[in-house]
Structures are given as structure tokens and as C-alpha cells.
């Protein structure tokens, strides 16, 4: 599925994180979603994964009534813009099904009933933004969709005595993951019906939707999107997290010429000006320089190689598309952006008064906290093409962390 398939802005998306389990298979007193993983609780990391997609407008966690203090501690490390997405947590039940249902009823009782809900296990803290994006797009296209990966082991069905009763064809099997994505009304209705059935054990939301007669689509999951289940999983996860990361730096530079017009777009925001910038896309030099800096840090081509100017589909395109794609390339390689810095070079418009708005815009596109984005500006003392007010130039530097290569 294309990462650019557009879900209309009017479609609202909520995330529901089931976090009321006891984590018995880990074998520690503290439920696994509150265990530490690289300086923060597993739950905080799972919340971050879903908040990384700007289309997720609200997040509700379903917690055990005894865990309120643990929950408050876990979310305290999150950035204010992520905390702002969090609704009052709901109280879960004794089964995952009951917890999911409680979360859906809490959303249904709220002010803003979402169009799409993503149901996610708190115990999956490695979900990439690309997977979250795919799940939203798949739910929009199909109504009910879940991520799955091909199984590599042959799977047997056995009876109580351990005798094999069936060997399903491996090519037909998928190991399914979360976030599972549904039209909200459809999943709520299925849960409300399923709660009346006492003898079924629904271990995921797809099973409830299937039981209710809904066809559920499976899209590509990710091998890295593991669910922490045993203490061994935590050992592996902590190794993966420490995972021998290395820092990379990339540089970007871009220039666009002025043309007749009334505003320029810089860093994703529109500034009134005596001219516009001309270019194939929206000519946002700042986002172009940052995008190239990220591609540079990845040693992964440049903006022109990923989005050829000769391709008509990028005509007039919002440059945030390019930057979001570059960020996805980082996360797809298990990396993260540490810092972005940019210098805008022009005599006018004055950047200073808009600096913070520009930083906020860049930070939100990249899913970063504000203190990880620098924006500076300079003139060239009326020298050269920027001094003659013929156009605007921008430089950028991206610092990223990637799993160390061999
Ligand atoms: N979950 C829940 N309410 C329950 C049971 C599970 O919200 N009554 C949540 C868990 O917190 C977890 C997810 O569902 O995020 C997946 O469940 P699982 O991995 O089985 O977690 P636990 O039930 O906590 O672990 P265990 O089965 O080992 O006790
Ligand atoms: Mg369980």
C-alpha cells in the first residue's frame, strides 16, 4: 500500500491501548507494560509509537484499577504534545476482550467519537510509524484490517493427547499483530454483541469482528513489531534497545528563486511576503534542506532521487510529504532522529518572529519534541543572490541514530 494514500482530514482516528493485563508469563510482580525499557516504561514507548502518526488525535489506555499510580508515573516522561492526546484511562476487565470493550465504551461515551480506532497491545513497544500509517490507511480502505507476517515454522493442530489432527498449509497462515484497525462503529457493535456470548474466547479484536460477520483484511506487519511476553523477550528487547546504535550526521542545502506572489512557505508554515518561491512542489526550501540532510545521514540518495521533479505527481506537492517519507526511512531502519538544525538565508522575510512556529511545524512533521529542532536565520549583508533578494537558501544538519552496521 502506498505510504501516500490519503485519508481525508475529516476522518478522525483514536488509538486504544489495552494495558490492563497482569503479565503473568513474564513472572515478575510488576505488570510488564510498566517495566523499564531504555529509561521509560514499555507503555510509554507504545504510546509514543501511536502518537507518531499525526492523524491519531486521541489515545485511551485501558488500565487495571490498581495500576493508576504506575500509569501516572509511566506517562510523566512523555512530551506535553503527546500527553495532550491522552484521554482519561478506562478500567479494564479480566480478559483482553473485556478490556478492549471497556475502552471502546469509554470512547463511545466521549465527546468526539472517532471514525477509526486502532487497538494496540501495550506490550508492543516497537511498532514503526510506517506500520501505524498502514493500519490507518487499511482501515479507511477496508473497514477492518490487521497486520500479519508470514509464519516460518510449520504449524500443527493437536488434540488434548498431543496427537496431530491437522497441518494447515503454511502459505495460508499469518501471525497477526497490533495495531488492529477498524471503523469504530463496526468494532463497537461487534464487541457489544460478543459480550453476550459466554463460551467464546476472543483473543484479538479481529476474531470479534470475524465472529460478527465482518470480513477482515490482513496487511503487511513487521517482524520487529514483537509482543513482549516472557522474561526472555525483555532480555532481547533491552539488547535491541541498547542495540549498538551509532550516530550519523547529514547535511542538506536548497535554493529557490522568488517569483511573483504574495507569500512564501518555509518550514511548513505560510509567511506573507512580497513574492512567492518558485519550484515544482510548494518550494519550501527549509523542509527540502532538512529532508536532504536526513537522506544524507542515511546515505540514501537525495530528495531528487526519491521524488523526481520530472514526476508530475509531485507538482505543487506539500513538502511535508517528502520530510515524512525521509523520517519513515529512518524508522524503517530501526533508527531515530536526535536533532535537526537549519539556517535560513535571506534578506526578507524576517524569520525571527516566526522561528518558534516554524520549529513547532518541523517538530510535529517529524514526531520530535521541540527541543530537538533548531531554526536560525541570517542575511548575507546584501551580497550575492540572497543579498539581491533573488531567492532564499536554506542549510540543514540532521543527527540521527541508526543500528550500527557490521
Ligand atoms: N490485556 C488487557 N486486559 C486483560 C488481559 C490483557 O488489557 N485482561 C492486555 C495486556 O495488558 C497486553 C495485551 O492485552 O498489553 C496483550 O495481552 P498479553 O500479552 O496476554 O498480556 P498479559 O495478559 O498482561 O500477559 P499474560 O497473559 O502473560 O498474563
Ligand atoms: Mg494474557
Amino acid at each position: 500500500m502506498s505510504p501516500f494514500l490519503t485519508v481525508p482530514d475529516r476522518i478522525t482516528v483514536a488509538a486504544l491501548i489495552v494495558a490492563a493485563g497482569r503479565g503473568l508469563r513474564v513472572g515478575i510482580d510488576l505488570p510488564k507494560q510498566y517495566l523499564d525499557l531504555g529509561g521509560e516504561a514499555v507503555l510509554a514507548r507504545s504510546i509514543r509509537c501511536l502518537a507518531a502518526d499525526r492523524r491519531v488525535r486521541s489515545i485511551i489506555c485501558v488500565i487495571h484499577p490498581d495500576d493508576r499510580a504506575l500509569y501516572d508515573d509511566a506517562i510523566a516522561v512523555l512530551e506535553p504534545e503527546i500527553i495532550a492526546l491522552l484521554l482519561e484511562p478506562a478500567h479494564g476487565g479480566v480478559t483482553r476482550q473485556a478490556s478492549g470493550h471497556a475502552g471502546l465504551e469509554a470512547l463511545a461515551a466521549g465527546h468526539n467519537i472517532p471514525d477509526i480506532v486502532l487497538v494496540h497491545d501495550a506490550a508492543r513497544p516497537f511498532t514503526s510509524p510506517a506500520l501505524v500509517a498502514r493500519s490507518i490507511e487499511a482501515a479507511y480502505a477496508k473497514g477492518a484490517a490487521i497486520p500479519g507476517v508470514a509464519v516460518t515454522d510449520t504449524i500443527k493442530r493437536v488434540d488434548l493427547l498431543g496427537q496431530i489432527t491437522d497441518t494447515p498449509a503454511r502459505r495460508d497462515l499469518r501471525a497477526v499483530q497490533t495495531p488492529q484497525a477498524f471503523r469504530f462503529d463496526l468494532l463497537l457493535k461487534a464487541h457489544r454483541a460478543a459480550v453476550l456470548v459466554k463460551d467464546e474466547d476472543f483473543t484479538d479484536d479481529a476474531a470479534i469482528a470475524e465472529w460478527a460477520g465482518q470480513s477482515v483484511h490482513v496487511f503487511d506487519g513487521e517482524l520487529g513489531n514483537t509482543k513482549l511476553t516472557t522474561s526472555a523477550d525483555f532480555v532481547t528487547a533491552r539488547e535491541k534497545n541498547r542495540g549498538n546504535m551509532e550516530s550519523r550526521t547529514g547535511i542538506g542545502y536548497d535554493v529557490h528563486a522568488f517569483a511573483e506572489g504574495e507569500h512564501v512557505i518555509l518550514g511548513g508554515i505560510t509567511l506573507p511576503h512580497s513574492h512567492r518561491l518558485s519550484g515544482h512542489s510548494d518550494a519550501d526550501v527549509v523542509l527540502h534542506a532538512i529532508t536532504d540532510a536526513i537522506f544524507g545521514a542515511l546515505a540514501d540518495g537525495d530528495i531528487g532521487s526519491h521524488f523526481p521533479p520530472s514526476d508530475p505527481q509531485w507538482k505543487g506537492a506539500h513538502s511535508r510529504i517528502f520530510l515524512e517519507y525521509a523520517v519513515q526511512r529512518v524508522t524503517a531502519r530501526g533508527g531515530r532522529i536526535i536533532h535537526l538544525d537549519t539556517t535560513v538565508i535571506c534578506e526578507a522575510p524576517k524569520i525571527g518572529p516566526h522561528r518558534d512556529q516554524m520549529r513547532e511545524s518541523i517538530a510535529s512533521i517529524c514526531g520530535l519534541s521541540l527541543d530537538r529542532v533548531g531554526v536560525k536565520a541570517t542575511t548575507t549583508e546584501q551580497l550575492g543572490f540572497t543579498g539581491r533578494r533573488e531567492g532564499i537558501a536554506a542549510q540543514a544538519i540532521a543527527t540521527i541514530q541508526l543500528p550500527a552496521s557490521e
Side-chain angles (χ1 to χ4, degrees), residues 3-4 280-281 291 295 302-311 313-314 317-326 329:
F4 307 120
H280 188 65
S281 64
T291 304
F295 284 137
D302 61 18
I303 195 165
S305 57
H306 290 282
F307 302 96
S310 54
D311 188 336
Q313 70 168 307
W314 309 124
H318 253 297
S319 296
R320 66 174 300 147
I321 292 175
F322 309 151
L323 182 52
E324 280 168 355
Y325 179 73
R329 303 281 287 187

Side-chain angles (χ1 to χ4, degrees), residues 145-184:
I146 69 171
V149 291
V151 298
T152 49
D153 293 325
T154 294
I155 309 285
K156 304 284 184 188
R157 189 188 299 277
V158 292
D159 64 18
L160 289 174
L161 300 171
Q163 289 297 327
I164 294 171
T165 57
D166 187 21
T167 303
R170 198 166 57 193
R171 65 166 188 279
D172 297 337
L173 297 174
R174 299 289 178 277
V176 305
Q177 309 178 333
T178 69
Q180 301 195 344
F182 305 87
R183 264 191 23 222
F184 178 77

Side-chain angles (χ1 to χ4, degrees), residues 33 36 75 100 110 124 164 170 192 224 230 252 273 278-279 288 328 333 344 347-348 353 386 396:
Q33 56 275 29
D36 178 85
I75 64 165
R124 287 187 200 268
I164 294 171
R170 198 166 57 193
R192 283 181 175 169
T230 63
H273 190 52
S278 77
H288 293 183
Q328 276 179 17
R333 283 172 56 178
V344 189
E347 300 291 327
T386 51

Side-chain angles (χ1 to χ4, degrees), residues 96 266 298 382:
R96 187 190 186 284
L266 294 175
L298 290 170
Q382 299 176 35

